[in-house]
Amino acid sequence: GAVVSQHPSRVICKSGTSVKIECRSLDFQATTMFWYRQFPKQSLMLMATSNEGSKATYEQGVEKDKFLINHASLTLSTLTVTSAHPEDSSFYICSARAFGAADNSPLHFGNGTRLTVT
Amino acid sequence: GQQVMQIPQYQHVQEGEDFTTYCNSSTTLSNIQWYKQRPGGHPVFLIQLVKSGEVKKQKRLTFQFGEAKKNSSLHITATQTTDVGTYFCAGSGSYQLTFGKGTKLSVIP
């Protein structure tokens, strides 16, 4: 149980274009999803917390107009990287917490999306 | 804000040797979680420790939570090549998880 599906797994796009990444909880409802960014050989950096039916909460230093998050249903959150630039190339990972789970309960991660901006 | 320090950053061991990674928090934690990320993969939850001084075992893996609930360790006995990956601790205060930088384990056959 507790499977999180992330799509696409890899995407290459040209500078200036936008890319949408989807994160789905397949067998549970997730009121809260988290979006992380991971640079090579580094840790997970929390970008934003996505709450179903409300605006996402962004971490300090993360541009909300550049990284658009939408959590339209209890099983789907999307991250759109707008006007992508080469420095946005990274590994983006989502995670989800089941509906009703405590705020500090374990997270279930998607497989991640490797974004390369040329 | 809450900070979680993890050492070492890298560890290379001969197959069969033991391995330990340590995690320290700047604040008292409500719980600590451990994740493993295989090369090219995503983090997978291993275990959660909640009680002061708690020790849990999963086969060759031993997890400890300090008495003050500010530090933790993961010890692997007799490493195998399947243990390769990056091990992250994640400390939880009252709200969100803060991840350590991880320890990348390489096992030389």
Side-chain angles (χ1 to χ4, degrees), chain A residues 35-92:
Chain A
W35 288 95
Y36 293 84
R37 184 172 180 176
Q38 187 176 34
F39 291 101
K41 301 181 181 180
Q42 294 193 26
S43 186
L44 299 159
M45 185 192 80
L46 179 64
M47 298 174 64
T49 301
S50 169
N51 298 296
E52 187 270 334
S54 65
K55 291 184 179 180
T57 303
Y58 289 83
E59 296 300 303
Q60 191 173 5
V62 178
E63 299 175 59
K64 60 181 179 182
D65 294 330
K66 179 168 185 61
F67 298 99
L68 301 178
I69 291 173
N70 184 279
H71 195 154
S73 76
L74 285 172
T75 58
L76 173 64
S77 175
T78 61
L79 167 67
T80 301
V81 183
T82 62
S83 187
H85 289 99
E87 56 265 32
D88 297 325
S89 299
S90 190
F91 191 53
Y92 294 87

Side-chain angles (χ1 to χ4, degrees), chain B residues 16-72:
Chain B
E17 291 182 340
D18 293 355
F19 158 77
T20 305
T21 173
Y22 301 90
C23 204
N24 286 285
S25 169
S26 58
T27 59
T28 302
L29 302 168
S30 61
N31 72 55
I32 194 153
Q33 299 168 18
W34 286 91
Y35 294 79
K36 177 182 179 181
Q37 184 176 21
R38 293 182 183 275
H42 63 280
V44 174
F45 172 74
L46 293 177
I47 208 161
Q48 176 174 280
L49 303 172
V50 179
K51 299 177 183 177
S52 169
E54 188 171 14
V55 178
K56 285 188 177 180
K57 291 190 175 184
Q58 289 180 350
K59 297 183 180 178
R60 294 178 294 104
L61 277 62
T62 302
F63 303 85
Q64 291 188 321
F65 200 10
E67 294 290 341
K69 300 183 74 172
K70 295 180 74 172
N71 59 70
S72 180

Side-chain angles (χ1 to χ4, degrees), chain A residues 34 36 38 41-44 46 49 51 57 59 91 93 97 103-112 114, chain B residues 9-10 30-31 33 35 37 40-45 48 88 92-97 99-102 104:
Chain A
F34 302 90
Y36 293 84
Q38 187 176 34
K41 301 181 181 180
Q42 294 193 26
S43 186
L44 299 159
L46 179 64
T49 301
N51 298 296
T57 303
E59 296 300 303
F91 191 53
I93 311 177
R97 178 169 288 140
D103 285 346
N104 54 14
S105 60
L107 299 175
H108 307 287
F109 284 85
N111 287 332
R114 175 77 57 193
Chain B
Q9 191 173 357
Y10 301 97
S30 61
N31 72 55
Q33 299 168 18
Y35 294 79
Q37 184 176 21
H42 63 280
V44 174
F45 172 74
Q48 176 174 280
F88 292 97
S92 177
S94 58
Y95 174 50
Q96 67 183 40
L97 287 177
F99 281 83
K101 291 196 172 184
K104 185 175 182 179

